Amino acid sequence: GAVVSQHPSRVICKSGTSVKIECRSLDFQATTMFWYRQFPKQSLMLMATSNEGSKATYEQGVEKDKFLINHASLTLSTLTVTSAHPEDSSFYICSAPYIQGNTIYFGEGSWLTVV
Amino acid sequence: QKEVEQNSGPLSVPEGAIASLNCTYSDRGSQSFFWYRQYSGKSPELIMSIYSNGDKEDGRFTAQLNKASQYVSLLIRDSQPSDSATYLCAVPLSGGYNKLIFGAGTRLAVHP
C-alpha cells in the first residue's frame, strides 16, 4: 500500500558538516512533498514545499541556502542540511499527498543531532 | 492570531471516559480538516478527516465540524491508556490542499 519512507531515522553529525535526509513515496507518485521540522514539545512547522522538476518553495524565515531541497523524481525528495549547527538539531518529517486516497501520508521522521 | 489554535493541555481523563479535544482555525475558506495522533518521538498518524459540517464517526472517534464557528473537535469514546498521545489539528493553507498547517497539539493523558 501507499507509504512514505524516510531515511535515515536517526543521524548524528559534527557541527559544520552537511547531512542529507531522503523521503520516498512507495507505490505512488508524488509531484509535491512537504518538509516539516519539530522541536521538542512543539508542533510541526512547515519548512518548505518540494516540487518535482522545479525549485522548492520555502516558508518565511527558512533559509533556502541552508536547507537544500531536491525533488529529482516523482518518488524521491531530499533535504540537505548544510553546515549544520547544534541549533539545527530537530525532528525532520516529510509528507506526501496520496491523491487517489485523498489523504496525506507522513514519513517516519528523521532525528538529527548536531554535536 | 495563529492560523490553527489548540489548547496545549495536558488533558487528563480516566480510562473509559470521553476525551474532548478542540481546535479553532482562522481561515474561513478552509474546506478540509484533519486530526493526527502523535506518540512521543514518532511521526504523526492520521486519525480522522472531515470536510462537511456535522459529525463523522469512525469507531471510538468522532470528529465534529462547525464552519460557521470555525471550530472542529475530536471526541474519543471509551478512552484507553494507549490513546495517551498528542493530538494535532491540521488545516490546509488556502490554495494549497496538501500544505497542512498544524496547531500546537493537545497532550492527552488517559489514566487507569
Side-chain angles (χ1 to χ4, degrees):
Chain A
V3 169
V4 174
S5 176
Q6 260 184 263
H7 177 81
S9 57
R10 289 184 180 273
V11 58
I12 301 173
C13 72
K14 291 184 178 180
S15 188
T17 62
S18 296
V19 174
K20 181 186 287 187
I21 301 170
E22 294 186 346
C23 178
R24 292 182 185 275
S25 58
L26 306 181
D27 294 331
F28 73 101
Q29 295 179 336
T31 57
T32 303
M33 293 184 180
F34 301 92
W35 287 97
Y36 293 83
R37 178 169 56 181
Q38 186 177 35
F39 292 109
K41 299 191 184 300
Q42 295 187 26
S43 190
L44 282 76
M45 296 300 296
L46 181 64
M47 297 176 66
T49 303
S50 174
N51 303 299
E52 188 269 335
S54 64
K55 291 182 179 180
T57 51
Y58 291 81
E59 296 302 307
Q60 193 171 7
V62 178
E63 300 174 57
K64 62 181 178 167
D65 294 329
K66 180 168 183 62
F67 299 99
L68 301 179
I69 291 173
N70 186 291
H71 197 144
S73 77
L74 287 169
T75 59
L76 175 64
S77 174
T78 61
L79 168 68
T80 301
V81 183
T82 63
S83 186
H85 288 99
E87 57 265 31
D88 297 323
S89 299
S90 187
F91 190 42
Y92 292 85
I93 311 169
C94 69
S95 72
Y98 179 52
I99 304 301
Q100 298 92 320
N102 198 30
T103 190
I104 300 166
Y105 288 109
F106 280 82
E108 306 96 327
S110 299
W111 283 101
L112 170 63
T113 302
V114 184
V115 298
Chain B
Q1 181 188 3
K2 291 183 180 178
E3 297 186 54
V4 181
E5 293 209 46
Q6 292 180 257
N7 188 325
S8 62
L11 174 65
S12 182
V13 300
E15 184 174 356
I18 296 175
S20 177
L21 305 160
N22 304 316
C23 173
T24 58
Y25 58 94
S26 60
D27 185 357
R28 282 198 168 274
S30 297
Q31 296 297 317
S32 51
F33 307 86
F34 302 88
W35 281 101
Y36 284 84
R37 176 174 63 196
Q38 186 177 28
Y39 292 110
S40 181
K42 301 294 184 182
S43 192
E45 54 180 321
L46 182 66
I47 298 295
M48 295 276 290
S49 59
I50 186 166
Y51 306 95
S52 305
N53 275 329
D55 295 0
K56 178 181 177 183
E57 188 174 314
D58 184 359
R60 295 187 296 114
F61 300 96
T62 299
Q64 299 174 319
L65 175 61
N66 184 325
K67 290 185 180 179
S69 300
Q70 295 175 245
Y71 174 93
V72 58
S73 65
L74 179 70
L75 300 178
I76 306 174
R77 289 182 299 282
D78 188 23
S79 296
Q80 301 297 309
S82 58
D83 295 326
S84 298
T86 296
Y87 289 81
L88 300 165
C89 174
V91 180
L93 274 180
S94 291
Y97 165 76
N98 300 307
K99 196 173 185 179
L100 294 179
I101 301 301
F102 286 85
T106 299
R107 190 157 57 89
L108 173 66
V110 181
H111 53 85

